[in-house]
Amino acid sequence: MSSYCWNRAVLLLAAVSLTGVACTKNPEVAPADKGASTSPPATPAAPPATPPTANPAASGSSLAGIPGMDFSSLPPAAQRELATVLSDEFCYCGCPHSLGACLRQHTPCKHAKRMARLAASAVSQGASSSEVIVALSQYYAAFREPRADLKVDPRMCMGDANAPVTVAEFSDFECPYCGKARPVLEDFARKNPTKVRFCYLPFPLPMHANAIPAGQAALWARDQGKFWEMHDTLFTQQENLSPAALVAIANKLGLPGAKLQEVLKGDAYKQELEGFRAQGKAANITGTPSIFFNGRAYKLVPDLDQLTHSLEDELEWRANNNAWPAD
């Protein structure tokens, strides 16, 4: 199986905070090769000739006194990197200030606080200030980029159909990274029932032998009114999704396994699966899972904190007519 860091951030930050790992649709690309193309190995810095004499605590002194924020738990090196981000990066809320100045002078700006928490998370995992600034720029640039026009099936969605944010995930039932993202995404949707509608879009990859049969089984179960039951069970045993195993799953869910067996012997649902894949290709996805917020490519790790961060950003963006509100 081939894997690579989502090429939504191409520096070291991709490996530590702002992006995740995905299954690629290009099985000929080996993990090492893909990694080499996005994150060249860093050259170790030469040790200083003499030990530093500065007070270690001074490195984070510029982070002190920010209302409502405390970065004292960060290691000194991470504090130095974060201090540079706060001084060199602009706040995206429309004010002509650095992120640090916005945090101090415009305390009502929730947007700046979210940016700072995101940057702090990244530097705490080893990212440099320059890498954080590049990745933040890529993340916020996505709000202004053209959005994908995704057609979802309401039978493959959970949450309020009138929710202001539709989170759509292109996923492959045999992709281990999709398996890890699944419970997080579902938990995120359940914790935001009035704000988020979460929708599944199958994107079977050719590198996975049972991806198409599993996709057929999911769409067939959808037509029987048990999409999510089949969806969750497929991920629970994604290492064994042979046609025989799929039939056994159907029987376990109270569905007629014999009918599914006939479906799997033919081309039923394959054209529909290809239609979902065509949507993904049009949206320029390169692997699974690929997540979209109202058609905006999600460029963070699919964990609860960063999904919540992006939801807050999306709601703010929409409330201000597709712009960041000025301070």
Side-chain angles (χ1 to χ4, degrees):
M1 178 176 296
S2 173
S3 66
Y4 71 104
C5 289
W6 280 339
N7 54 355
R8 298 189 176 116
V10 296
L11 300 172
L12 175 63
L13 192 53
V16 297
S17 179
L18 295 192
T19 58
V21 184
C23 289
T24 174
K25 62 183 179 181
N26 299 317
E28 70 277 8
V29 180
D33 294 337
K34 179 60 70 172
S37 68
T38 58
S39 300
T43 302
T50 57
T53 57
N55 179 1
S59 63
S61 59
S62 61
L63 301 179
I66 297 177
M69 307 208 80
D70 181 7
F71 302 111
S72 61
S73 62
L74 290 174
Q79 290 190 26
R80 287 193 294 271
E81 297 299 330
L82 181 59
T84 300
V85 173
L86 298 192
S87 65
D88 292 1
E89 176 69 313
F90 280 99
C91 179
Y92 281 78
C93 61
C95 65
H97 305 299
S98 69
L99 178 54
C102 188
L103 288 168
R104 289 185 172 85
Q105 300 173 23
H106 302 280
T107 54
C109 179
K110 298 178 181 179
H111 187 83
K113 291 182 174 63
R114 293 200 296 272
M115 282 186 68
R117 288 196 295 268
L118 191 60
S121 174
V123 299
S124 72
Q125 299 178 62
S128 70
S129 58
S130 60
E131 290 161 350
V132 173
I133 290 171
V134 167
L136 286 174
S137 297
Q138 291 177 343
Y139 168 68
Y140 287 107
F143 284 84
R144 298 188 181 278
E145 294 170 355
R147 300 205 172 197
D149 182 17
L150 302 178
K151 303 295 189 297
V152 301
D153 186 328
R155 296 171 295 175
M156 298 159 65
C157 298
M158 64 170 61
D160 188 345
N162 297 314
V165 179
T166 293
V167 176
E169 178 204 17
F170 285 96
S171 179
D172 178 313
F173 287 110
E174 282 197 314
C175 170
Y177 309 110
C178 297
K180 292 178 181 178
R182 175 192 68 84
V184 179
L185 288 165
E186 292 186 22
D187 184 44
F188 168 67
R190 292 189 183 102
K191 288 182 176 178
N192 298 279
T194 62
K195 298 177 182 178
V196 171
R197 178 176 67 153
F198 172 57
C199 301
Y200 184 89
L201 293 88
F203 195 86
L205 296 168
M207 59 192 277
H208 293 150
N210 296 308
I212 289 178
Q216 289 176 283
L219 297 183
W220 174 79
R222 172 204 62 190
D223 290 349
Q224 319 308 313
K226 289 194 174 183
F227 170 76
W228 287 107
E229 292 90 337
M230 177 65 78
H231 167 279
D232 289 352
T233 306
L234 292 175
F235 276 121
T236 299
Q237 64 173 68
Q238 64 178 171
E239 294 182 359
N240 179 22
L241 296 180
S242 66
L246 295 174
V247 170
I249 290 173
N251 288 325
K252 182 179 179 181
L253 295 177
L255 296 171
K259 290 187 177 180
L260 175 58
Q261 189 171 34
E262 292 302 312
V263 166
L264 298 177
K265 289 179 180 178
D267 293 331
Y269 298 104
K270 287 184 179 180
Q271 184 174 355
E272 187 176 2
L273 286 172
E274 189 53 39
F276 284 113
R277 282 176 48 82
Q279 286 198 64
K281 292 175 182 177
N284 298 315
I285 75 169
T286 55
T288 57
S290 285
I291 302 166
F292 292 80
F293 276 60
N294 286 340
R296 167 179 58 85
Y298 174 78
K299 301 190 176 186
L300 302 175
V301 167
D303 66 30
L304 188 58
D305 286 343
Q306 296 192 28
L307 287 164
T308 301
H309 173 107
S310 204
L311 172 61
E312 292 171 351
D313 278 343
E314 184 67 23
L315 292 171
E316 185 177 292
W317 179 263
R318 284 173 53 91
N320 200 53
N321 297 319
N322 298 330
W324 300 121
D327 277 339

